[in-house]
Amino acid sequence: MPAQTSFRDLLALLDQQRQLRHVSRRVDARHELVAIMRKVQKGPNQSLLFRTVTGSPTPIATNVLCRRSILADALDLPLPAMLPELVKREASTRPLETVSDAPVQERVVTGNISVESEIPQVVHCAEDAGPYITAGVVIARHPETGIHNASWNRIQIVGGDHMRIRMMAPQHLGQYHAAAERKNEPLPIAVVIGAPPSLMLSAASKIPFEADELLTAGGWQGSNLRVVQAKTVRLLVPADAEYVIEGHVLPNVMEDEGPFGEFTDGYVARAPNNVMRVTAITRRNDAIYHVILAGGPEDSTLLGVPLQTEVYKRVSAFAKIRDIGTPGHIFGCVVSIEKNSDDQARAVMLAALAAHPWMKVVVVVDADVDPHDPQEVLWAIHTRHTPETGVYMIPRLGSFQRTDVRDAHRGKVGIDATAPMSMRDVFRRRAFPGMDEIDLDVVLDPLRPR
Ligand SMILES: Cc1cc2nc3c(=O)[nH]c(=O)nc-3n(C[C@H](O)[C@H](O)[C@H](O)COP(=O)(O)O)c2cc1C
């Protein structure tokens, strides 16, 4: 099956696979929508389509990429070989296909912009400063090179044409803005909501500064990304997206933004951030808005897969890699290897810790342990890890450097949870003949009515 090239095609695929749950009753955009999403994430963890949301002109989809397998299906990637395949495709970028008539511009609003009447006012957590856009892919062109960057940035809706955007250097968008600011010029940006899956991934990935992330998106989906000229800024935007908000980030203007409940499950405090002035809002007539919960399963897929790919690039020189997971949080990873010597586990651990600044805890497990299953990983630590020789501390080296929590992220640790080569036979896992063929619905009697 070819890759899905639009957000709505992905939703249609999920619907067909019976992975999309519809919510028909009216839901409130302030807290209720996110509370339902959070409850589903803690339970069956399915994608959701809210049909009627108070104050929203359109339906809202959430928790869409809530499993890594959904991203694999969306991009037509073989799940077990997802990481090497992504590395391969990153190198084969595709040119853009520019169209003049785009679904995302079926409805165009310019002049007298009132963001609050066009965009749902979704409020996430108890102490949040107000409504936020949390699933916006921001597209910008470097003021000197013209290269496109795509990144995810949370945006606080203030009112009218006024929003506040979190976009600090060293993030590339922050660097683009700094280049514009040096000339005292505003930076044109377009916020894409309901973006093609390949663009959602390239926006979350640390692609080299010199590379164009729209071309990388084409490489990942295996076809040219369809783009259209934006209405009020000199930028190309994905033609098949659901919504685009066009505007400028102002030079030398900062305002307090936040607090906001963010991806470590705490709040990031109120702090000065940049200001965006909106010049146009375009969308499909029957658009579907997208909402992501920071730190939820969809955020974990989007942040986790690029991290796993970065780690894969570094560790595959040292051992045959079965797979890499980020089951706890993206400040660590689990690497499953086919080990030929005890040294390999140590080399993989050190390479993984060096693969990304955020990597704080790395666990290496054998190939018979699923690196995506936290229960399996803990089992491996409890049964196969030797604390006396299998813990590697790198003191002092920092990982997550946000100033308010920097001191909690000092030092890195690697845990070797592979079985020693000399005891491989003892650690062979048990097998249960016939188990895979058993259908419990056939074997077990139906539950008796109470
Ligand atoms: C849903 C989501 C929201 C994010 N929000 C922010 C944000 O508000 N600010 C930020 O600096 N990074 C945020 N990120 C992380 C960046 O998108 C990510 O670091 C990306 O690689 C930046 O890319 P760039 O430096 O190539 O532009 C977010 C990621 C996701 C998946």
Side-chain angles (χ1 to χ4, degrees):
M1 193 178 15
Q4 311 301 310
T5 55
S6 74
F7 185 68
R8 61 182 45 212
D9 282 353
L10 172 58
L11 291 177
L13 177 71
L14 289 172
D15 215 8
Q16 191 195 328
Q17 295 174 337
R18 302 172 64 81
Q19 296 197 69
L20 181 69
R21 298 297 299 269
H22 294 245
V23 182
S24 297
R25 64 174 276 244
R26 176 174 286 279
V27 165
D28 200 323
R30 303 182 84 87
H31 298 300
E32 191 186 11
L33 179 134
V34 173
I36 294 170
M37 175 191 351
R38 189 68 175 154
K39 193 140 190 170
V40 169
Q41 289 174 342
K42 294 277 181 197
N45 192 29
Q46 290 159 318
S47 308
L48 297 169
L49 183 65
F50 293 89
R51 299 216 152 270
T52 317
V53 181
T54 305
S56 174
T58 62
I60 299 182
T62 69
N63 212 31
V64 176
L65 296 168
C66 60
R67 295 170 206 277
R68 200 176 179 255
S69 58
I70 297 176
L71 183 63
D73 280 356
L75 297 181
D76 190 31
L77 295 161
L79 189 57
M82 189 171 178
L83 303 180
E85 183 65 21
L86 279 172
V87 174
K88 201 165 85 194
R89 289 195 201 174
E90 189 181 327
S92 37
T93 55
R94 295 256 185 169
L96 300 175
E97 180 187 335
T98 309
V99 300
S100 52
D101 194 16
V104 75
Q105 293 178 340
E106 282 168 354
R107 190 186 135 93
V108 177
V109 177
T110 54
N112 276 336
I113 300 278
S114 154
V115 177
E116 57 273 44
S117 46
E118 298 295 324
I119 301 292
Q121 305 290 290
V122 179
V123 183
H124 287 231
C125 304
E127 294 171 31
D128 282 7
Y132 269 81
I133 295 170
T134 57
V137 169
V138 177
I139 296 188
R141 282 168 64 120
H142 192 279
E144 276 123 39
T145 63
I147 289 173
H148 292 101
N149 188 69
S151 59
W152 293 93
N153 299 81
R154 70 166 184 268
I155 299 175
Q156 185 185 357
I157 299 173
V158 183
D161 65 352
H162 184 173
M163 309 208 285
R164 297 182 185 128
I165 177 167
R166 166 83 189 160
M167 42 169 282
M168 297 304 188
Q171 209 210 31
H172 292 171
L173 183 63
Q175 296 184 49
Y176 281 29
H177 179 248
E181 214 167 40
R182 281 194 289 275
K183 301 188 209 166
N184 202 27
E185 284 175 4
L187 180 75
I189 61 169
V191 182
V192 182
I193 299 160
S198 61
L199 184 62
M200 291 203 251
L201 182 62
S202 81
S205 303
K206 256 282 156 270
I207 291 163
F209 194 71
E210 309 70 40
D212 189 306
E213 298 197 21
L214 297 187
L215 307 189
T216 310
W220 276 337
Q221 69 180 25
S223 63
N224 303 358
L225 188 73
R226 277 169 32 96
V227 291
V228 65
Q229 173 59 50
K231 291 289 179 189
T232 57
V233 286
R234 223 185 113 245
L235 283 173
L236 294 170
V237 295
D240 300 311
E242 299 294 321
Y243 276 84
V244 170
I245 306 175
E246 303 176 9
H248 298 92
V249 182
L250 305 184
N252 304 306
V253 181
M254 300 286 268
E255 286 180 359
D256 275 355
E257 176 263 341
F260 179 72
E262 51 91 64
F263 77 137
T264 56
D265 216 16
Y267 290 94
V268 60
R270 199 172 162 81
N273 270 317
N274 292 99
V275 173
M276 176 182 177
R277 289 283 174 195
V278 177
T279 51
I281 299 176
T282 78
R283 68 164 166 92
R284 291 175 181 254
N285 284 329
D286 62 345
I288 303 166
Y289 189 76
H290 186 196
V291 170
I292 294 179
L293 176 65
E298 182 164 28
D299 197 27
S300 301
T301 302
L302 282 165
L303 288 167
V305 169
L307 261 164
Q308 294 154 18
T309 310
E310 285 311 305
V311 172
Y312 179 83
K313 286 179 192 164
R314 303 289 185 103
V315 298
S316 49
F318 298 101
K320 187 157 190 291
I321 307 299
R322 178 194 154 192
D323 207 352
I324 300 169
T326 42
H329 189 268
I330 46 142
F331 291 165
C333 72
V334 181
V335 188
S336 167
I337 65 169
E338 272 172 39
K339 188 169 95 162
N340 290 322
S341 79
D342 289 325
D343 275 351
Q344 269 184 319
R346 289 188 272 270
V348 163
M349 213 152 44
L350 292 174
L353 285 170
H356 193 283
W358 287 2
M359 264 315 121
K360 184 167 78 168
V361 181
V362 169
V363 183
V364 183
V365 295
D366 289 302
D368 59 358
V369 176
D370 179 356
H372 303 288
D373 181 345
Q375 176 69 38
E376 281 265 296
V377 177
L378 272 177
W379 169 85
I381 294 174
H382 292 175
T383 59
R384 293 180 173 179
H385 166 63
T386 311
E388 207 157 270
T389 53
V391 179
Y392 298 86
M393 275 284 291
I394 305 177
R396 289 186 294 280
L397 192 56
S399 45
F400 188 53
Q401 288 299 288
R402 207 180 65 209
T403 39
D404 56 337
V405 289
R406 184 183 286 165
D407 287 345
H409 299 287
R410 287 253 167 259
K412 298 193 176 210
V413 64
I415 298 169
D416 179 356
T418 60
M421 290 300 286
S422 58
M423 295 182 216
R424 298 217 91 167
D425 204 43
V426 188
F427 281 109
R428 222 166 5 101
R429 291 184 86 167
R430 299 179 295 173
F432 300 91
M435 189 174 118
D436 289 346
E437 290 74 48
I438 291 170
D439 181 346
L440 289 181
D441 288 337
V442 174
V443 175
L444 305 181
D445 293 349
L447 281 173
R448 269 182 274 138
R450 280 177 210 256

